[in-house]
Amino acid sequence: MNLTVAEENYIKAIFHLQQAEGNVSTNQLAASLNTKPASVTDMLKRLTHKNLLNYEPYQGVTLSKDGKKQALTIVRKHRLWEFFLVDKLQFGWDEVHEVAEELEHVRSKKLVDKLDAFLGHPKFDPHGDPIPDSNGIMATIRQFNLIDINPTAWVEVCSVGIQSAELLELLRHKNIGIGTIFQVIRKFDFDHSIEISIKNSKSLNISQQLAQALFVKLV
Amino acid sequence: MNLTVAEENYIKAIFHLQQAEGNVSTNQLAASLNTKPASVTDMLKRLTHKNLLNYEPYQGVTLSKDGKKQALTIVRKHRLWEFFLVDKLQFGWDEVHEVAEELEHVRSKKLVDKLDAFLGHPKFDPHGDPIPDSNGIMATIRQFNLIDINPTAWVEVCSVGIQSAELLELLRHKNIGIGTIFQVIRKFDFDHSIEISIKNSKSLNISQQLAQALFVKLV
DNA sequence: AATTATTTTTAGGTAAATCTAAATAATTTA
DNA sequence: TAAATTATTTAGATTTACCTAAAAATAATT
Ligand SMILES: [Mn+2]
Ligand SMILES: [Mn+2]
Ligand SMILES: [Mn+2]
Ligand SMILES: [Mn+2]
């Protein structure tokens, strides 16, 4: 069953929204897709008719088993292309989302799998989000917000909460990226800033705002 | 002025058809785009209104200056992606057209130019067709059909007239590809087959059908 | 030149994906 | 719990990109 670009965008949006909050509302979808609630209702009916959603009028939606499978192949394509753009074409990770938003709709199983192999079967995209494999299975690691980590713990940066150019600029300046390993040294109550020490390197200060944008795993 | 996928496909089809025969007819376009003449007329009006065509009812169309510029950026994208698929992802050149048909519509000047650089600014696609540069300029070499070359001439294969898997299979078997250099030794009147001799290698026979599918330049 | 055949356009219609405005359902507040 | 507010759906339009059937223009044949 072949989906249109619009249908795929809806499926993907529902997938992401339901991760965070279970049942997804019409208004949430309208906001996330930059469209109007009335348009969303139309589309929900169409996707329900195609058995991709569990939809109860006025009660919001979730993806059906089929819908979830579709969503995972779109997410896989999106993240593989993002990896390609950053790793091979030298895009900054703040520039790739828009382009990947189009590339994710190119239909060719062979293309995706060959791209995956060409890239060396990456497990995470440039923002640290896991890439589903061809069976829709993706790594799930226990992530914590840096703001919640206590001193002396060693951690590895595994994703970012925001993808702005400004964040990227700051991280580059501080020499921090996905995969960087460091130890939390101290937390300051006054401004909630954090002192960290990057593996064999000098220690540096992380502001509250920055800490809130960084997700790490314990190592 | 941003074109839809359908509009881009029309512009590109007109570009290719007018190369061969000047004014392009409604029926030619309908055949080439797998659609109906009535639909073509509709679209011709829309594209004319956007100043991309010179269209005189009942007299066929050609691209305007603007239309030609648009066409060249689409052709550039199509051929760069084909090169990418064959050179980096190991597709056979009979498999790439369909996928490139979708990839060519991804809108990002930056993407195209970075892809071009990543690929090493290739001048020809896997079928031997020239790739326009970012200004729309492409190499033009004087090509001849192998069937028209006379004995003792040295030639280099520069493109193929057909892109079938069957042709690719045969060429691989004979160890011939784009760039292969050989000498035409003899032509046989009975079956119009040709004896050729590949540079430092044994001589071999090319059937009439094969010769008609190969385009070469004199070296 | 008149007839026939072919090509192209027009007329009228459909499905997808959007919209605005109005109606209805659900939730919150007083 | 009744009224007010908010969320969602329905009704009715619009645009794009197609379609079929019929009319009109052009080209080819007697
Ligand atoms: Mn998208
Ligand atoms: Mn990402
Ligand atoms: Mn195309
Ligand atoms: Mn090609």
Side-chain angles (χ1 to χ4, degrees):
Chain A
M1 202 182 284
N2 247 353
L3 303 182
T4 66
V5 169
E7 287 170 339
E8 288 191 346
N9 284 333
Y10 270 84
I11 292 289
K12 198 183 57 160
I14 296 167
F15 177 83
H16 288 311
L17 290 170
Q18 81 177 25
Q19 302 279 97
E21 4 202 340
N23 262 41
V24 180
S25 77
T26 303
N27 265 10
Q28 275 180 300
L29 269 170
S32 138
L33 289 162
N34 262 307
T35 182
K36 295 289 178 292
S39 309
V40 172
T41 302
D42 278 358
M43 183 61 100
L44 294 183
K45 284 183 195 159
R46 295 238 317 281
L47 293 174
T48 301
H49 189 251
K50 290 191 176 192
N51 293 309
L52 296 164
L53 302 182
N54 308 117
Y55 169 53
E56 207 60 59
Y58 294 101
Q59 305 306 309
V61 281
T62 55
L63 294 174
S64 71
K65 189 164 184 181
D66 241 55
K68 210 170 289 167
K69 206 178 109 196
Q70 293 283 354
L72 282 164
T73 79
I74 307 163
V75 168
R76 167 169 162 79
K77 289 194 276 180
H78 185 100
R79 293 182 179 165
L80 279 174
W81 280 117
E82 281 188 345
F83 188 95
F84 168 75
L85 294 173
V86 170
D87 197 59
K88 302 292 185 184
L89 300 194
Q90 324 290 316
F91 275 76
W93 58 233
D94 57 313
E95 310 170 301
V96 298
H97 190 81
E98 224 192 346
V99 182
E101 201 55 50
E102 295 192 39
L103 285 165
E104 72 189 355
H105 303 291
V106 175
R107 290 181 281 280
S108 165
K109 178 103 175 70
K110 191 164 190 174
L111 172 60
V112 185
D113 292 340
K114 280 187 175 261
L115 180 65
D116 190 22
F118 175 60
L119 300 176
H121 302 288
K123 294 274 163 296
F124 299 94
D125 85 0
H127 311 108
D129 296 312
I131 301 176
D133 68 16
S134 60
N135 300 309
I137 294 162
M138 54 184 170
T140 46
I141 38 164
R142 191 119 177 60
Q143 290 189 186
F144 301 90
N145 193 205
L146 177 53
I147 209 89
D148 301 321
I149 303 291
N150 287 321
T152 79
W154 280 90
V155 299
E156 178 181 335
V157 178
C158 50
S159 72
V160 291
I162 313 169
Q163 302 168 203
S164 69
E166 291 75 18
L167 173 56
L168 180 57
E169 180 198 16
L170 180 57
L171 287 178
R172 281 196 173 138
H173 176 254
K174 290 193 189 280
N175 239 296
I176 297 174
I178 306 294
T180 301
I181 292 172
F182 60 80
Q183 187 180 19
V184 173
I185 304 293
R186 218 177 134 182
K187 297 172 89 168
F188 297 97
D189 283 340
F190 175 67
D191 61 358
H192 304 99
S193 69
I194 301 174
E195 186 191 348
I196 69 168
S197 165
I198 296 182
K199 220 170 180 177
N200 44 39
S201 174
K202 73 285 156 194
S203 80
L204 42 83
N205 187 271
I206 304 286
S207 70
Q208 180 184 24
Q209 294 96 317
L210 179 51
Q212 280 168 339
L214 292 180
F215 291 83
V216 299
K217 66 178 182 197
L218 301 171
V219 291
Chain B
M1 202 183 282
N2 248 352
L3 303 182
T4 67
V5 170
E7 287 170 337
E8 288 192 345
N9 284 333
Y10 271 84
I11 291 289
K12 197 181 59 159
I14 295 168
F15 176 83
H16 289 310
L17 290 171
Q18 81 176 25
Q19 302 278 97
E21 2 202 341
N23 262 42
V24 179
S25 78
T26 304
N27 267 8
Q28 276 180 299
L29 269 170
S32 139
L33 289 162
N34 263 307
T35 182
K36 295 290 178 291
S39 308
V40 172
T41 302
D42 277 359
M43 185 60 100
L44 293 185
K45 285 183 195 159
R46 295 238 316 281
L47 293 174
T48 301
H49 190 251
K50 291 191 175 191
N51 293 309
L52 297 164
L53 303 182
N54 307 117
Y55 168 53
E56 205 62 55
Y58 293 102
Q59 304 306 309
V61 280
T62 55
L63 294 174
S64 71
K65 189 164 183 180
D66 240 55
K68 210 169 290 166
K69 205 178 108 195
Q70 293 282 355
L72 282 164
T73 79
I74 307 164
V75 169
R76 169 170 162 78
K77 289 194 276 180
H78 185 100
R79 294 182 178 163
L80 279 174
W81 280 117
E82 282 189 346
F83 188 95
F84 168 75
L85 294 172
V86 169
D87 197 58
K88 301 293 184 185
L89 300 194
Q90 323 291 315
F91 275 76
W93 57 233
D94 58 312
E95 310 170 300
V96 298
H97 190 80
E98 225 192 346
V99 182
E101 202 55 50
E102 295 193 39
L103 285 165
E104 71 188 356
H105 303 291
V106 176
R107 288 181 282 280
S108 165
K109 177 101 176 72
K110 191 164 189 173
L111 172 60
V112 184
D113 291 342
K114 281 188 175 262
L115 180 65
D116 190 22
F118 175 61
L119 300 175
H121 303 288
K123 293 277 164 294
F124 299 94
D125 85 0
H127 310 108
D129 296 310
I131 302 175
D133 68 16
S134 60
N135 299 310
I137 294 163
M138 54 184 169
T140 46
I141 37 165
R142 189 120 179 58
Q143 290 191 184
F144 302 90
N145 193 203
L146 178 52
I147 209 89
D148 300 322
I149 303 292
N150 287 319
T152 78
W154 281 90
V155 299
E156 179 180 334
V157 178
C158 50
S159 72
V160 292
I162 312 169
Q163 300 169 203
S164 70
E166 292 75 18
L167 172 57
L168 180 57
E169 180 197 15
L170 180 58
L171 287 179
R172 281 196 173 138
H173 175 254
K174 289 192 189 282
N175 238 296
I176 297 174
I178 306 291
T180 301
I181 292 173
F182 60 79
Q183 187 180 21
V184 174
I185 305 293
R186 217 176 135 183
K187 297 170 89 168
F188 297 98
D189 283 339
F190 176 67
D191 60 358
H192 304 98
S193 69
I194 301 174
E195 187 192 346
I196 68 167
S197 166
I198 295 183
K199 222 172 179 175
N200 43 39
S201 174
K202 71 285 153 191
S203 81
L204 42 83
N205 188 270
I206 304 287
S207 70
Q208 180 186 22
Q209 295 92 320
L210 179 52
Q212 281 168 337
L214 292 179
F215 290 84
V216 299
K217 67 177 181 198
L218 302 170
V219 290

